[in-house]
Amino acid sequence: MRDGDGTGDANGRAEVMVAEARKAFFVMFAFVALIWVVQLVNAADGYDLSRDHGVVPGDTDSLPALLSAPLLHWSWNHIEANSGPLFVFGFLAAYRGVTRFLGLTLLVALTSGAAVWLFERGGVDTVGASGLVFGYFGYVVVRGLFDRHLVDTLIGVVMAASFAYLLTVAVPGTPGVSWLGHLGGLAGGVLGAWLFRDRGKRSAGGGGGGGGGEEPSATASPRADLHKELGDLGLL
């Protein structure tokens, strides 16, 4: 039997997480809808937007495109290939907090675009949301390790095992894709998992002899911690 205070705290945490997950869903739905609207305009204009607002290696005039390029694509096949993974990984990256997710998105857009701008060769305009896809993927895979959320760690393991093939287009020599943009996005996602981690989420020692003596016992074992997090998610 749970005491009233513990149940209230768990219910409160669950409500917050459900609210954040709901916001994450609508944020990603709106974002994917936005890039499709941009694609409609871009395709109708002969893809001039992609030519004018893509990242061009070494071209200082194209630096603002670090933020615009993820919204643009070169074809319908291009945007179709990105939309599904973008929504899935974006939602998983955002459900713990939309504000943190927005910071992550900005960071990944910059690292992905910067990798292309600094190290790509040739004057080709690079656009596409795949850098964000790889960034969200990297973030989801390692976030649980930095935050010490067992549920997120399990999600990361499942995503890594299920989508490991994505890494094959983040290595040199992959034809027809900007592997540098993918690699830069992946690095940005891992960096974001560390920068936006939950600092001080759990105290190291039980310290202070006040009324906080119950918290260490609640997280004393990985199994108890996992049960607590699953309960917070409403899965137990």
Side-chain angles (χ1 to χ4, degrees), residues 20 31 57 64 145 153 167 169 191 217-219 236:
E20 288 294 336
F31 184 45
L145 301 178
T153 301
L167 299 179
V169 287
L191 176 62
S217 64
T219 58
L236 285 179

Side-chain angles (χ1 to χ4, degrees), residues 57-81:
D59 183 0
T60 54
D61 290 338
S62 75
L63 283 175
L66 297 183
L67 300 180
S68 62
L71 302 176
L72 301 168
H73 293 82
W74 281 115
S75 68
W76 293 106
N77 287 338
H78 191 192
I79 192 172
E80 287 169 6

Side-chain angles (χ1 to χ4, degrees), residues 4 13 31 33 35 58 63-64 68 71 95 113 119 123 136 143 153 166 173 176 185 189 208 215 221 225:
R13 288 191 296 268
F31 184 45
I35 67 171
L63 283 175
S68 62
L71 302 176
Y95 89 97
F119 302 114
Y136 296 156
R143 173 182 56 188
T153 301
L166 287 175
E215 183 65 19
S221 71
D225 201 7

Side-chain angles (χ1 to χ4, degrees), residues 114-175:
V116 171
W117 193 87
L118 289 170
F119 302 114
E120 191 71 80
R121 294 292 177 266
V124 179
D125 295 273
T126 298
V127 298
S130 54
L132 293 180
V133 170
F134 275 79
Y136 296 156
F137 172 72
Y139 178 79
V140 168
V141 167
V142 303
R143 173 182 56 188
L145 301 178
F146 292 119
D147 284 353
R148 288 176 290 174
H149 280 301
L150 290 181
V151 168
D152 288 346
T153 301
L154 293 176
I155 291 173
V157 170
V158 171
M159 291 298 103
S162 301
F163 295 95
Y165 68 89
L166 287 175
L167 299 179
T168 62
V169 287
V171 296
T174 305

